[in-house]
Amino acid sequence: MSRERHEAQVEDTSTSEKVERADLGSCDAKFFDPNNAEAAALREKVAAMAMEDMLKWLDYEGPEEQENNNNGNSLKASFRRLSSSNSGSDWGVCRKYSRVAIYDATNSTKARRDWVLEECTCPVKRAGKRTGVIFVESLCDDQELLDQNFQFKIQNSPDFKGMSKEEAIADLRSRVEKYESQYETISDDSRSYIKIYNLSSKLMVNHIYGRMAKVIVPALMAWNIGTRPVFICRAGQTTDDGNTVVNANHRKASLRGDVLGHTGRRFTDALAEYILSEGIKFMENRENVVSLDTGTSVSGLRHSNSSCDFTDMPSLEMPFSAHIMTSTMPRAIETATWERLPFPVHQISNLNPLDKGDFTGMELEEIKEADPDWYGKLEQDPFRTRFHGGECYEDLIHRLESCIIDIEQQVAPVVVVSHVSVIQALIAYFRNSPVENCTSIEVPMHTVFKCTPTSGGAWNVQKVVLIEDTSDSASESSDDVPQSPTPIWGDKKMVSPLAESKTLKNFNESGGSTSLNLPK
């Protein structure tokens, strides 16, 4: 048995680091002239350096992969380890690690693409290192889109720093003309490729198979360079007495059916006011930025005015549009239901909290007592250890893929109301931090994570506290570095740690406020 894990890396031939390594200096339109032999040689050198770095990364074996390979007959060993495992986790299963690299270069000629294939798939150079190659070609013949794209490019690219708007546009147009003079579109249907026309208005897919292709194509259709923010928060608090003692059956019921308490309703009102304020700011800021037609359409017809091309507009009287996504838990739906902003609420079961199976509603201490062997595995590998009859975080990541694509494709503000485990995974995505470490990300109650797109495709993530709670943990030394081997299943009220003990958060995602001390 095997479990796949995917990692990603971008090798960009235009990065300043590689430009400096190749001593290229400044690059204006003349640098891209095919008749400039010296510049052409330097471009080839940079491309080769990026290719070399990429292949080294693709071939790198992490500690776990080396351990699998050092077991001799890894398949037989994995089954032997699997048969001796009585837990619901993947312990003992031989995992398959996959890496996806993006070779970000022009690759605009048949000769360059032949070279890329040769370097990646040559049976001599790459013996025993199977590597698949998919070419992605972006084509645009819509002059309005091109003009908008040019404006966005000169505003955000460091290549045009210090130039006037007219100079930058002229230089960019000259650069494009030089590319066009030698451009060769992909025409060999024996190769795997994806063609994107006029942003995501149309796609052509050729010889694309497998799970990765199933993810790549929707993602390419969804990604856009719009300025819409994404707001992510937990459902409001369901109980106002964090010290109430409840039995396991009550906790199990509260995971599914609890409605908001007084503090949770306060948070709902504060969230509505915050989203209203941010939505109005978004609409105002749209007047000062370049807005691109992403191809997204409500009616199936392309709109000439992209500012009208929003989804989920409930009425013409609304000040802005927004896409609201929640889990199917009543407390999450209630948190996102606002009388003043009656947006449609999309209830999505994929945003439900991590399924803890037989351990649903149990505290860490109770799990440790009931199944100490499984608990030990949870401490060693909180990301991949699966709950009996339930999920592990690795499973959660897979079911969130469609939600992330839904978020990415929006051109209006997005609001996501979910639960700790789901939000931990989403924040790792938007921060571009290792997803294996997401179990250590703290997700405080009554706090919104505001994710704002930045130039280059990254996201800026900031926390906005809507309701101060002095009894919650006041310090967060690091969201990205695990403070203990045990995952943070919830951000509950902290208690003073006893001598020679460590405080571990419980993983009851019901919205209550309890904590748990375990001895070292």
Side-chain angles (χ1 to χ4, degrees):
M1 296 183 66
S2 68
R3 292 296 304 274
E4 286 199 15
R5 167 182 158 193
H6 303 282
E7 298 178 350
Q9 175 84 350
V10 177
E11 289 298 333
D12 186 352
T13 62
S14 64
T15 59
S16 58
E17 176 185 356
K18 290 185 172 62
V19 168
E20 291 174 359
R21 286 167 61 185
D23 298 325
L24 300 182
S26 61
C27 301
D28 57 14
K30 295 178 182 178
F31 178 78
F32 301 94
D33 188 340
N35 297 319
N36 186 337
E38 182 180 1
L42 289 175
R43 291 201 307 273
E44 294 299 322
K45 179 179 179 181
V46 171
M49 293 166 68
M51 176 64 71
E52 180 183 0
D53 288 347
M54 181 185 73
L55 294 178
K56 285 181 179 178
W57 180 80
L58 286 172
D59 297 340
Y60 171 75
E61 291 186 349
E64 293 183 62
E65 293 169 286
Q66 293 174 0
E67 181 180 353
N68 283 336
N69 292 335
N70 290 337
N71 284 327
N73 189 334
S74 59
L75 182 61
K76 183 181 294 184
S78 69
F79 277 114
R80 188 164 56 245
R81 292 193 301 274
L82 180 63
S83 62
S84 64
S85 173
N86 59 0
S87 74
S89 72
D90 275 340
W91 277 70
V93 178
C94 181
R95 295 185 182 89
K96 179 181 178 181
Y97 291 81
S98 300
R99 289 187 171 88
V100 178
I102 301 173
Y103 187 64
D104 187 5
T106 307
N107 304 322
S108 57
T109 65
K110 182 178 181 301
R112 169 61 75 83
R113 294 190 290 271
D114 289 343
W115 174 78
V116 170
L117 278 175
E118 174 71 14
E119 293 297 312
C120 293
T121 64
C122 176
V124 177
K125 296 180 181 179
R126 305 284 297 161
K129 301 173 182 178
R130 184 178 178 183
T131 305
V133 177
I134 298 175
F135 291 101
V136 180
E137 181 178 10
S138 179
L139 301 163
C140 184
D141 56 9
D142 186 307
Q143 191 57 50
E144 182 181 355
L145 285 180
L146 288 172
D147 291 341
Q148 293 173 344
N149 189 274
F150 286 175
Q151 292 290 335
F152 183 87
K153 182 75 172 179
I154 65 173
Q155 289 178 14
N156 294 277
S157 174
D159 289 355
F160 307 102
K161 188 176 181 180
M163 294 185 186
S164 67
K165 180 178 178 179
E166 293 74 17
E167 291 173 336
I169 287 290
D171 184 85
L172 181 55
R173 290 189 185 279
S174 176
R175 185 181 303 193
V176 170
E177 290 174 0
K178 297 184 188 313
Y179 272 127
E180 288 179 336
S181 67
Q182 58 176 347
Y183 187 87
E184 297 173 329
T185 188
I186 299 175
S187 58
D188 186 352
D189 287 345
S190 67
R191 295 181 178 178
S192 297
Y193 65 78
I194 301 171
K195 290 190 178 187
I196 307 171
Y197 295 87
N198 294 324
L199 298 183
S200 60
S201 297
K202 182 174 72 173
L203 263 73
M204 178 186 292
V205 178
N206 187 71
H207 286 313
I208 303 295
Y209 309 104
R211 180 184 172 277
M212 288 306 297
K214 185 174 67 176
V215 175
I216 290 174
V217 174
L220 288 173
M221 296 180 69
W223 287 328
N224 64 80
I225 55 176
T227 59
R228 78 288 181 210
V230 177
F231 305 98
I232 304 173
C233 67
R234 291 176 62 181
Q237 191 168 317
T238 58
T239 174
D240 296 311
D241 183 2
N243 298 316
T244 300
V245 177
V246 293
N247 59 38
N249 290 332
H250 181 279
R251 284 198 301 268
K252 287 184 178 182
S254 70
L255 284 173
R256 302 296 178 191
D258 262 11
V259 295
L260 300 182
H262 173 70
T263 305
R265 291 192 294 271
R266 280 181 56 213
F267 174 66
T268 295
D269 294 338
L271 180 62
E273 291 297 321
Y274 175 71
I275 297 302
L276 175 61
S277 173
E278 290 293 319
I280 292 174
K281 287 181 187 177
F282 169 74
M283 296 302 293
E284 292 173 346
N285 291 337
R286 282 178 61 84
E287 302 297 326
N288 302 318
V289 299
V290 176
S291 178
L292 294 182
D293 183 349
T294 65
T296 304
S297 173
V298 176
S299 64
L301 299 175
R302 181 178 167 194
H303 295 277
S304 59
N305 184 358
S306 62
S307 65
C308 297
D309 191 15
F310 287 126
T311 58
D312 301 329
M313 178 66 80
S315 75
L316 296 177
E317 298 179 357
M318 294 294 289
F320 59 93
S321 178
H323 186 69
I324 314 297
M325 306 167 61
T326 75
S327 72
T328 61
M329 303 293 131
R331 61 188 182 276
I333 299 168
E334 188 178 357
T335 301
T337 303
W338 311 310
E339 182 177 349
R340 188 174 180 183
L341 296 172
F343 294 116
V345 176
H346 298 265
Q347 303 172 30
I348 304 171
S349 60
N350 283 2
L351 291 174
N352 286 354
L354 187 76
D355 184 354
K356 301 176 186 69
D358 297 343
F359 294 140
T360 298
M362 295 178 65
E363 305 285 356
L364 286 171
E365 191 173 52
E366 294 170 320
I367 294 176
K368 184 177 183 180
E369 182 177 349
D371 195 338
D373 291 339
W374 183 90
Y375 183 86
K377 294 172 181 179
L378 175 69
E379 286 192 308
Q380 294 181 51
D381 191 352
F383 184 75
R384 299 179 186 86
T385 302
R386 181 177 289 114
F387 285 85
H388 295 303
E391 297 178 300
C392 64
Y393 268 83
E394 195 169 40
D395 300 324
L396 179 66
I397 299 302
H398 291 314
R399 70 168 158 96
L400 286 178
E401 285 177 354
S402 61
C403 296
I404 289 175
I405 288 174
D406 192 8
I407 294 170
E408 286 276 14
Q409 72 183 359
Q410 302 303 319
V411 293
V414 180
V415 180
V416 180
V417 180
S418 188
H419 311 275
V420 175
S421 52
V422 170
I423 294 175
Q424 287 172 325
L426 292 177
I427 294 303
Y429 172 83
F430 285 106
R431 285 179 176 171
N432 195 27
S433 60
V435 71
E436 294 87 349
N437 297 338
C438 74
T439 59
S440 67
I441 297 176
E442 295 202 25
V443 186
M445 292 288 292
H446 310 139
T447 299
V448 174
F449 288 86
K450 179 182 178 181
C451 308
T452 308
T454 62
S455 60
W459 293 79
N460 177 52
V461 181
Q462 64 182 112
K463 290 182 183 177
V464 180
V465 179
L466 298 188
I467 296 182
E468 294 286 352
D469 189 347
T470 56
S471 61
D472 277 346
S473 175
S475 62
E476 295 182 30
S477 57
S478 173
D479 283 344
D480 294 321
V481 180
Q483 302 302 306
S484 76
T486 307
I488 299 173
W489 302 112
D491 292 274
K492 312 301 179 183
K493 294 180 180 179
M494 300 284 287
V495 298
S496 300
L498 302 175
E500 297 300 317
S501 71
K502 60 183 178 182
T503 301
L504 301 178
K505 312 288 181 67
N506 75 27
F507 49 79
N508 180 359
E509 301 190 68
S510 65
S513 301
T514 58
S515 62
L516 184 66
N517 280 331
L518 298 181
K520 284 185 177 178

